[in-house]
Amino acid sequence: MPRYELVARRRARGLDVVLLRDGAAVIHMSGRGAEKIFRLLAEELEKLGAAKPLSKTEVEESYEIDEKFGGTVAAYLLLVRRSRNPDKWIPTLRGIIEGKYPGLPEALEKMMEAGIEASKKYPKEAKRIHTLLHPKVADALTSGVKRFVEKYVKGLGGAVPEEKEEQS
């Protein structure tokens, strides 16, 4: 099984959040909401026992993610990528990790693998952080993952977040 890490690095222009799989960046996030997303995710994963702190310095903080939930964390980062309100997906994340939605972690892992395979067909671009999941593929996956998770969770009787907070 792959080894996943969630890393936050302070840069001059703000916080960069990166999900690593076996040392390679899967998905990268920065900008206004990156710090809030990292804090929410790290606290929730640690509370649920799905992550443990690896290191913490003034410029970098990292967590080791339980290998069963690497795809789930990647999917969460996709879910909140364009979200104005990332904490609305925390109850769904919590339900996945607590086992309320059997089969969903494995399905999310397979979706991430499919995205990574599709990303191999895209040419590398200069002046960007190279991730296993190409940003254009991540954009395409974002809406698909949202719909899939909503339908899956709803089908098992769970509550799904409201659409109103999403940004195009």
Side-chain angles (χ1 to χ4, degrees):
M1 294 283 287
R3 182 173 187 260
Y4 287 93
E5 286 180 52
L6 182 65
V7 180
R9 292 183 183 111
R10 289 216 181 279
R11 305 278 190 209
R13 66 187 195 297
L15 195 74
D16 282 346
V17 177
V18 181
L19 178 67
L20 301 172
R21 182 177 78 175
D22 294 330
V26 176
I27 190 167
H28 168 264
M29 169 179 291
S30 61
R32 290 186 307 197
E35 185 152 7
K36 179 179 182 181
I37 289 167
F38 178 77
R39 291 284 156 243
L40 279 168
L41 185 55
E43 287 173 17
E44 194 63 31
L45 291 171
E46 194 173 6
K47 191 174 9 172
L48 293 167
K52 60 183 178 189
L54 277 178
S55 67
K56 186 174 184 175
T57 66
E58 284 186 25
V59 293
E60 184 174 294
E61 187 173 352
S62 66
Y63 288 82
E64 182 176 8
I65 309 295
D66 185 317
E67 59 195 22
K68 295 182 297 199
F69 301 112
T72 301
V73 172
Y76 175 80
L77 290 172
L78 285 174
L79 289 170
V80 300
R81 199 159 184 253
R82 304 271 188 241
S83 179
R84 291 183 196 157
N85 185 10
D87 45 347
K88 76 177 185 178
W89 288 99
I90 288 290
T92 304
L93 175 72
R94 189 178 303 127
I96 294 168
I97 291 172
E98 290 174 343
K100 291 181 183 173
Y101 312 116
L104 192 51
E106 296 83 4
L108 293 172
E109 181 75 37
K110 288 182 179 175
M111 290 176 84
M112 291 306 109
E113 288 303 320
I116 290 168
E117 280 304 309
S119 295
K120 290 177 182 177
K121 307 303 180 218
Y122 275 83
K124 297 230 187 274
E125 297 172 17
K127 294 188 178 182
R128 79 165 192 87
I129 296 172
H130 295 287
T131 56
L132 295 176
L133 200 54
H134 192 281
K136 290 180 181 175
V137 174
D139 285 342
L141 266 179
T142 294
S143 62
V145 168
K146 283 180 185 175
R147 298 303 160 256
F148 178 76
V149 169
E150 287 170 351
K151 297 278 185 191
Y152 197 98
V153 168
K154 194 172 186 177
L156 291 174
V160 291
E162 291 295 316
E163 281 284 327
K164 295 172 189 161
E165 297 295 324
E166 290 302 310
Q167 164 184 334
S168 301

